Every structure is written in C-alpha cells, then in structure tokens.
Amino acid sequence: MSSSTTLPPYFRINPDQAMGDLDDPVTTGGFAAIAGAARAGRDDLAGRGLAEDGKRHLRLFSTWEITRYLIPVAQAHFRRVLKQHPDWPQGRSETEAGAKWFTLDEVLTLRAHFGKEGSKAKEYQPYRPKGLPAKMVAVANFKGGVGKTSTAAHLAMSAALDGYRVLVIDLDSQASMTSVFGGTVADEWQTVFPLLARHYAKHLQSDNQRRMDRGDNPIALDETLTEALGVTSQTLIQKTHWPNIDLIGAQLNLYWAEFQVPVWRMQGRGWKLWDALTDTLEADGVLDDYDVVFIDTPPALGYLTINGLAAADILLVPVGASFLEFDSTGRFFDMLHTTFQSIEDGENLAARALGRPEMAFQWDAVRAVVTRYDGNQQAELAGLMQAYLGKTLSPHRQDFTALIGQAGEQVQGIYEADYRDFNRETYARGRETFDATYAAFKTLLLGAWRKDELAMQEAQKAAVPRQPADGYFT
C-alpha cells in the first residue's frame, strides 16, 4: 500500500477543483431561498404526523397500557368494573375479540369514576391541593442541544397522562415546542408578546396618572400598547391534540420582544418587566384553570427568559454529561445569579430609601437534569458532576434510547408513539427513562404543593379568632 493512500482526506485537495465545486456567491436573498427550502422540508415532516383531515390526533390507549401506566388496577378488575357500569366509556376493539382501546378523554373520565367510587387508598387522581394556584415550571439552559424542549414536552405529556390540566407556554421564537403540539401561530400577536405589552401599558397608565397629578404631561400610548390592553391570556391559548394540554405558542416574530422590551424599560424606569408574565397570567385567572404550567425558554438569557424564570416556581436545567455542557451550565447559573442579584439590588436600594419591604426572588426547587445519557461512555463524568453539584443535580439520568430517535423521526413524543410500532423491549426501556424523569419532577411538584398547603392551613388557623372561657372574642 502506498503512503498516498493512507494520507488524511485534507491532503491533496486541488484548488482548481475546489473552486469549481463552489456555487455563485450567496447574497442576502439567498438566505430566503434556504429558509424556504427548510420550511418546505419542515412542513413535509410535520405533515407526516397529521391524519387525513390535516390535523394531529392523539393515538388510542389499550387496556393493557391503561392498567399498567395510567390507572392502578388489575386488567381483570378493570374489565369487570366496566361491565358493571355500561354507561362508562367502553372503548373499541379493532377485532371482535381484540383488546379494547380508549381515547385519553375516555381514560380521564374513567380515572374520575374510579377516583369517586373506587378505593380511597388507590392513587386514581393525582395530588392537587385545593385553593392553591398552578405551579409554573421553567425549563432553561442557554446551551443548545441538551434536550431542553424535548424534556419540557415529555414532562407536559407525562403530567397530562397523570391527569393534570397542563398549559405549555413557548417563549422560544424558534417555536420547537409549538411544533411538537401542532400549534398554529400567525404572528407575534398570538404569542406572549401582547401580554408583556399589556403589562407595560397598564404600568404606563398608572405612571401617567401620577404625572398628571404632578401637573406633568402624560406619555401617549402608541397603537401597539393600546391594542395590547384588549388582549387576554384566554385569547392566546390554543387547544392541542391532547385533551388536557393547552398551548400559548411562539413564532419567529416573538424575537421582536427582545428589542421592544428594553425600549419600554428605558421609557418606564419603574416598570417591573420581570413580573409581566406572572402578573398577567394571575390577573386572567390562568393559574386557577390549570394544574401545571410548563415554560420552554429560549437558549439565551434575554428578557423572555427572565420573564419565564421569574414566573417559575420550579426551575429545571437539562444538561449533557460532557465537559463543555457542564462548563456551560455552570456559567448559566453564574449568569442567573448576576442577573437576578442585580434586579434585587436595584429594587431594594429604592425600597430601603422609601422604607418599603425588600424583594427577593425565590424558587421552590432548582434541579439540573442529565439528559441524553449514555452510561457506557459518560458514567465517570456524570458521577463527578453529581459530586460537585450534589442535590442540585437530579440523581436520575435520562437515558438516550432508540425509542427517542424513532419517535422523533415521526414528529411525536414517545408517549404519542404506539407501542405496537416498536420492539416491546425498546418501548419499555425508552418509556422507563422518561417515566423516571417525570417521577423525579413530580416529587418536587408534590413536595412544593404540600409545603404550600401546610402554610395555607397554618395561616387559616392563625386568622381564626380565639374564644376564651368567658365567651368574649380576642
């Protein structure tokens, strides 16, 4: 064998031949052509997940799947109960003696029936304290490729299968989460943008009143702010093909908020932009309509991400078990500290001067989650990360399995995939890792809710006046 055949491929490249392989120079218009080609390809791929009517539909769930994963009863008992209640959903069979299949709507109805009439010792309905708002969960990291959107989407699906009412908010102008749930967003007015604008418009109205009280001229609300005052969260929320998952979607124009928000902030120095998302969702009653709100943030610490993080009760940070991703995630937390500390310092400087209570951001829990994990290659580094991060790093590591890749090719999450389309072992292994991810998250969710529930009960007790022996209230 001659030495020339063993040379690496970057030797012996002919400059004239390389020049001949070049196309004409790319102009600005060329980007539009590339974007158009990518859009056509994306639409083609997305269309493969649609039914004949052009819409996305959630698959059916078998009796085996329901009794194993969704409603904790034995199959024989499940069938017996259905036979005793012919008015309950009975499912449908593909053959005369075949297994029964049910829609998720029917599963949710059956779960409610079992919860009402079945054993109170069984966990038919998920824990959800009365009188408390939805928990908001932000999934964030400014390192791309760590499975941020995939993790958020699968947690939303897991929570929905568990019986929770879920709202997904896409803050990323790339709109990957919106695509996962089949959302249609025409422009920024169908995203969270008008909610941020409305929050600022209301601040400006209050500020203008103070201006006029001082004898100063008010600042006129422009057309954008005036229009935003008429927008509510409910007008932005879309139904998805999941009966208990709704969506506020994103679109490329949402990125305009990153330029518009600082303009508003310069104009209204007292505007608390980090409260915009929380305040509007609370004012519109959204947190009473849902159990869990998942927020998918952009892979950058901009104004949209700050809103998502400030609104969150629980922060999840997906991270790969590699040096670069670990390093990047550490810098992400460093930037979080710098950003929120600077907000607190600025606000509290004024609060101390005015004798008002100081503010402090607070999260029920913050967890980093190892995603796309390969135990054969990454165990040592994952162990090192665990040693340094301790409890902040979830001990569960989300494996990358063939099911994830196969489901992704079909433009769907693993919970949307029909297990009959996969090797049973592949399906079980792929599902197990996401079920464990959800279990780790649900532990945080229930712990935070329980803590709030006990605090609420203590506050209610303290509010009840005591009656002494002589009959007079104190």
Side-chain angles (χ1 to χ4, degrees), residues 79-368:
R79 295 192 184 98
R80 185 165 55 251
V81 171
L82 290 192
K83 191 172 182 180
Q84 293 170 352
H85 296 84
D87 56 320
W88 291 11
Q90 298 294 310
R92 58 202 56 73
S93 299
E94 296 179 345
T95 60
E96 186 172 339
K100 290 290 186 68
W101 294 78
F102 299 77
T103 66
L104 183 56
D105 255 332
E106 292 172 330
V107 174
L108 296 173
T109 299
L110 290 173
R111 176 185 273 123
H113 284 314
F114 274 92
K116 184 178 180 180
E117 301 189 15
S119 169
K120 301 307 177 186
K122 289 289 187 75
E123 195 176 335
Y124 292 122
Q125 296 282 30
Y127 173 74
R128 170 69 160 97
K130 293 182 179 179
L132 291 175
K135 284 293 183 184
M136 293 203 276
V137 184
V139 184
N141 198 334
F142 60 32
K143 181 73 171 70
V146 295
K148 178 176 60 64
T149 298
S150 176
T151 297
H154 282 103
L155 284 174
M157 294 176 190
S158 297
L161 291 174
D162 202 15
Y164 288 118
R165 299 165 300 168
V166 176
L167 175 65
V168 174
I169 301 178
D170 194 350
L171 296 183
D172 189 350
S173 59
Q174 296 180 82
S176 297
M177 181 69 87
T178 302
S179 295
V180 168
F181 288 105
T184 302
V185 182
D187 55 35
E188 69 273 20
W189 283 93
Q190 294 179 359
T191 71
V192 299
F193 174 77
L195 298 184
L196 306 184
R198 185 182 110 199
H199 191 267
Y200 175 66
K202 288 184 175 294
H203 164 79
L204 190 56
Q205 285 180 327
S206 298
D207 201 38
N208 278 340
Q209 185 59 56
R210 288 189 289 270
R211 289 172 182 272
M212 290 187 290
D213 290 343
R214 297 194 306 264
D216 297 333
N217 293 325
I219 298 175
L221 273 67
D222 60 24
E223 185 178 344
T224 295
L225 297 177
T226 302
E227 184 175 350
L229 285 171
V231 177
T232 64
S233 303
Q234 285 76 11
T235 62
L236 306 174
I237 293 173
Q238 303 181 38
K239 294 294 182 182
T240 72
H241 56 294
W242 285 72
N244 53 343
I245 299 181
D246 292 342
L247 168 73
I248 297 180
Q251 190 253 11
L252 189 60
N253 289 356
L254 175 58
Y255 194 70
W256 173 246
E258 298 292 353
F259 300 96
Q260 185 61 62
V261 168
V263 174
W264 293 335
R265 177 65 172 162
M266 289 292 292
Q267 187 180 53
R269 295 283 186 174
W271 177 45
K272 295 176 173 55
L273 65 93
W274 46 87
D275 287 338
L277 185 59
T278 310
D279 288 349
T280 51
L281 294 177
E282 286 181 347
D284 292 343
V286 170
L287 303 187
D288 297 322
D289 294 336
Y290 297 91
D291 301 313
V292 190
V293 179
F294 288 97
I295 304 170
D296 189 35
T297 64
L301 193 53
Y303 294 105
L304 290 168
T305 301
I306 289 172
N307 259 279
L309 296 177
D313 301 294
I314 296 173
L315 170 59
L316 301 178
V317 182
V319 55
S322 75
F323 168 77
L324 291 178
E325 293 183 34
F326 184 37
D327 178 55
S328 176
T329 299
R331 297 177 192 276
F332 176 68
F333 279 111
D334 190 31
M335 189 170 287
L336 290 185
H337 168 257
T338 301
T339 300
F340 287 102
Q341 186 68 62
S342 67
I343 294 173
E344 289 178 1
D345 290 345
E347 289 295 298
N348 291 335
L349 183 64
R352 286 191 293 271
L354 297 172
R356 295 174 180 171
E358 296 186 14
M359 70 164 291
F361 291 100
Q362 184 172 289
W363 292 265
D364 291 329
V366 175
R367 291 290 185 274

Side-chain angles (χ1 to χ4, degrees), residues 13 58 129 197 264 278 304 348 396 449 453 466:
I13 296 176
L58 187 60
W264 293 335
T278 310
L304 290 168
N348 291 335
H396 167 66
W449 256 332
E453 184 179 31
R466 292 182 296 109

